[in-house]
Amino acid sequence: MARRSVLFSPGDQPELLRKAPETGADTVVFDLEDAVVPARKTEARTAVQSVLADPDFDPDCEVCVRVNPIGAGAGDDVETVLAGENPRLDAVVLPKARSADEVTTLGRLLDERAFDVPVLALVESARGVLHAEEIADAGPTDALVFGAEDLAADLGATRTDDGVEVLHAREQVVLAASAAGVDAIDTVYTDIEDTEGLAEETEFAAQLGFDGKLAIHPGQVAPINDAFTPAEADVEWAERVLDAKQEADEAGHGVYRVDGEMVDAPLVSQAERILERARAAGSGDA
């Protein structure tokens, strides 16, 4: 399953919740946290529950709900959202995750409702970044999500266009996710009009090792998907590398060339990753 684009939709606007899967996003997140003012939390919970329990709601993408933080409404969110019969829910997003205990607490709340879905843990505080490894290793965790805006606020840092103030934390999230074998999802790009800037930042995120990126507007979905979908030329190169490896293995050769380049284990791993991403994105014959 690909999580190239992860699109947030406000939980108190049911018409947008129903339309979100039509944007082409790999994952849609019905947001009960930041997108909903405190006075409308109850209304939003009911709206999300109603959409998820509607038998006619059967989108062809991953559907998540972002609950409120542990100790600040997560329990009420889970209780209400899962109140209907067979809700169409694939995962839960935990905001402001600061420790593995918070992830396991959310997992327990889901278990109590007999609902076994994974957790996408948002790392968006100094404490969360410092504990990213244990958060990624927590049993329910299926992805780490980097939140640069809240992190900068927590640090008292000034956000810049090049993001140098959060680069160390951004890379720390990728390292922790990779070590635990879970997805790494990059932060939002807040300028929804700047498609070129979004594409550049998303390409950089892919270079860092992220598997996907958050989106806050439907117009951001396509550029994000494009950046995380391997180009046809890259897929063809990866196939040549792995075909040549198989031939070399069968011939008992430890060293071989592809396109005039010596191939070693890191290049093989790179080729495997390209084909894995291509398969997940459904591109080509990979």
Side-chain angles (χ1 to χ4, degrees), residues 228-264:
F228 283 106
T229 301
E232 183 177 348
D234 292 334
V235 172
E236 292 173 352
W237 170 84
E239 290 174 338
R240 290 197 299 273
V241 167
L242 296 184
D243 287 345
K245 179 182 185 302
Q246 181 176 350
E247 293 175 3
D249 289 345
E250 292 173 352
H253 297 157
V255 179
Y256 58 98
R257 291 177 180 269
V258 173
D259 300 339
E261 181 181 23
M262 296 298 297
V263 174
D264 56 7

Side-chain angles (χ1 to χ4, degrees), residues 9-14 17 30-32 36 42-54 57 64-65 80-81 87 89:
S9 188
D12 59 349
Q13 299 186 43
L17 301 180
F30 295 172
D31 192 3
L32 294 174
V36 181
T42 299
E43 178 182 344
R45 291 177 183 125
T46 302
V48 169
Q49 185 274 328
S50 178
V51 172
L52 294 179
D54 184 348
F57 180 71
C64 308
V65 170
T80 301
V81 166
L89 183 64

Side-chain angles (χ1 to χ4, degrees), residues 8-12 29-41 44-45 48 65-70 72-74 77 93-97 122 124 150:
F8 283 97
S9 188
D12 59 349
V29 180
F30 295 172
D31 192 3
L32 294 174
E33 195 216 9
D34 285 348
V36 181
V37 298
R40 292 176 63 91
K41 296 286 186 183
R45 291 177 183 125
V48 169
V65 170
R66 174 160 73 167
V67 298
N68 287 277
I70 297 298
D77 293 337
V93 177
L94 175 64
K96 298 176 176 60
L122 253 167
E124 48 188 341
D150 280 355

